[in-house]
């Protein structure tokens, strides 16, 4: 279990050194998207149209924040359950995205895509919305404002704490962690 | 007959909603602290440390504990000798809910089941609230409130067993639900188990069981024993905080049991995430 400080956009060199269980403090620009936004982004990719942001090296955060209080860039912003993005993530990774932040298990297809395209699935602490919201220094809706909390935001983070769940070697922290601590009678 | 102003109920509910969104109840805070001390996995220990820090930030800076500020769930006991002046109790609770969620910048999360259209501009901000009424003796209104997030509801399950399934069958079912859920419901969790009654009674009991303070012992010794066994079995699963592996998957199991039909044994498992936002007031 190592600790790294990484800045986005991520390169393949960054992602290939990470192992499941490593802790990463992430800084730089990341993008928020949930199911509805993912559907639109993947539709654009498939139609060969331009996306609202550059996918290359991008990290996507699965989050639907609370509305910001006046003067704050964003409200509480912890991760949402990731499996709802499972059908879209392989396409995003194939087209250059290098990281995803969420919570909960991913499908085998997503894990395989992480291995093939050098992507990482990071887990953030679910329900730590106040703490994680504070690590977000600026936020700006860049697409689909009509989706409300589900709109695509460009956010700037500083030392955003995440843990590597699925690495580029096919490891899965959820499986490994559980096997290590499971008590069999 | 005691009269209570409609607006008094609206204000009380509104305040309840606002404070609950940013204040982790003491029982949960203490239970998490204890779990952090006892947790064997360093990864899970760190997660729980973040949760405690999160609770401190939320309280001091009045930020919502979690971005999923939930659907508003109420259990309301209305005294027979109370009358609401100027409107209906149900409307007052809904109005207080909408005001609380909107004024405190909480998320509006109610939507239509299929179109998924948000209901904030049609029905009202985060409305309707889910309200369970009961009528009791006296001239007071007792309101229990919880902000119930989606992650832990999504893994909850109910099943009607044949009586022969017995305790073993029920324990196995609880284990299976929690095992399948893994990290999705944001462990460390609290597990509400409704046993007996009819299908819907078991479900409602499993929800209500989650309102009991952590650290309290079930009044029924048989159920208290069963809670211990279930907690032990769940923590042997190794799921750990946020599913990252560990020894403290659940903080507690709470059972509410009811008499049931001679032909059936209904069981419901309702899961509560670590962000167990609930309060209780009496008007
Ligand atoms: S399960 Fe609970 S802590 Fe996790 S995201 Fe949902 S409401 Fe928040």
């Amino acid at each position: 279990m190592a600790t790294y400080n990484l800045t986005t956009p991520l390169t393949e060199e960054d992602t290939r050194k990470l192992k499941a269980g490593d802790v990463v403090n992430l800084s730089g620009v990341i993008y928020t998207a949930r199911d509805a936004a993912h559907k639109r982004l993947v539709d654009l990719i498939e139609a060969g149209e331009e996306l609202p942001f550059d996918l290359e090296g991008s990290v996507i955060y699965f989050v639907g924040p609370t509305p910001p209080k006046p003067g704050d860039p964003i409200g509480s912003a912890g991760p949402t359950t990731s499996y709802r993005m499972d059908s879209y993530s392989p396409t995003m990774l194939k087209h250059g995205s290098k990281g995803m932040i969420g919570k909960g298990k991913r499908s085998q297809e997503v894990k395989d895509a992480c291995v093939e395209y050098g992507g990482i699935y990071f887990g953030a602490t679910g329900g730590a919305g106040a703490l994680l919201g504070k690590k977000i220094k600026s936020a700006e809706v860049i697409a689909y404002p009509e989706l409300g909390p589900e709109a695509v935001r460009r956010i700037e983070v500083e030392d955003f704490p995440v843990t590597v769940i699925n690495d580029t070697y096919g490891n899965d922290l959820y499986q490994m962690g559980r096997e290590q601590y499971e008590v069999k009678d | 007959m005691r009269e209570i102003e409609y607006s008094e109920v609206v204000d009380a509910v509104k305040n309840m909603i606002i404070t609950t969104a940013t204040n982790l109840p003491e029982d949960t805070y203490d239970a998490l602290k204890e779990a952090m001390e006892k947790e064997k996995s360093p990864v899970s220990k760190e997660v729980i440390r973040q949760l405690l820090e999160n609770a401190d930030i939320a309280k001091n800076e009045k930020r919502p504990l979690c971005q999923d500020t939930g659907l508003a769930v109420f259990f309301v006991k209305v005294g027979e000798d109370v009358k609401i002046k100027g409107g209906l109790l149900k409307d007052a609770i809904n109005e207080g809910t909408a005001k609380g969620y909107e004024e405190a910048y909480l998320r509006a999360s109610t939507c239509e089941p299929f179109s998924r259209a948000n209901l904030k501009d049609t029905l009202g901000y985060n409305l309707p609230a889910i309200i369970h009424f009961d009528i009791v003796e006296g001239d007071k209104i007792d309101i229990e409130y919880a902000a119930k997030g989606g992650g832990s509801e999504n893994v909850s399950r109910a099943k009607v067993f044949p009586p022969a399934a017995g305790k073993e069958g029920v324990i196995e079912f609880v284990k299976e639900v929690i095992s399948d859920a893994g990290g999705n419901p944001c462990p460390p969790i609290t597990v509400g188990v409704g046993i007996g009654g009819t299908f819907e009674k078991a479900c409602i009991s499993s929800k209500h069981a989650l309102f009991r303070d952590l650290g309290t012992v079930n009044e029924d010794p048989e159920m208290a024993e069963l809670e211990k066994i279930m907690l032990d079995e769940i923590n042997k699963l190794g799921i750990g905080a946020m599913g990252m592996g560990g020894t403290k998957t659940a903080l507690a199991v709470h059972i509410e049991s009811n008499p049931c039909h001679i032909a059936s044994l209904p069981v419901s498992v309702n899961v509560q995430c670590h962000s167990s936002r609930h309060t209780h007031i009496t008007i």
Side-chain angles (χ1 to χ4, degrees), chain A residues 87-102:
Chain A
S87 52
Y88 308 115
S89 292
T91 310
M92 303 284 283
L93 292 167
K94 188 176 172 191
H95 289 84
S97 178
K98 285 279 172 283
M100 303 160 277
I101 307 172

Side-chain angles (χ1 to χ4, degrees), chain A residues 141 144-153:
Chain A
V141 174
Y144 320 134
E146 67 280 11
L147 295 180
E150 300 211 34
V152 174
R153 288 173 174 77

Side-chain angles (χ1 to χ4, degrees), chain A residues 79 103 126-128, chain B residues 66-68 148-152 184-186 272-275 277:
Chain A
K103 69 174 178 96
Chain B
C66 179
Q67 75 290 339
D68 183 351
K148 195 67 176 68
S152 52
N184 286 356
C186 290
Q272 170 64 56
C273 59
H274 61 70
S275 199
R277 292 152 290 177

Side-chain angles (χ1 to χ4, degrees), chain B residues 69-72 97-98 101 107-110 119-120 124-129:
Chain B
T69 48
L71 294 198
T97 300
Y101 271 82
R107 208 174 72 182
S109 304
T110 52
L119 295 172
K120 69 179 183 341
Y125 203 89
N126 211 38
L127 294 188

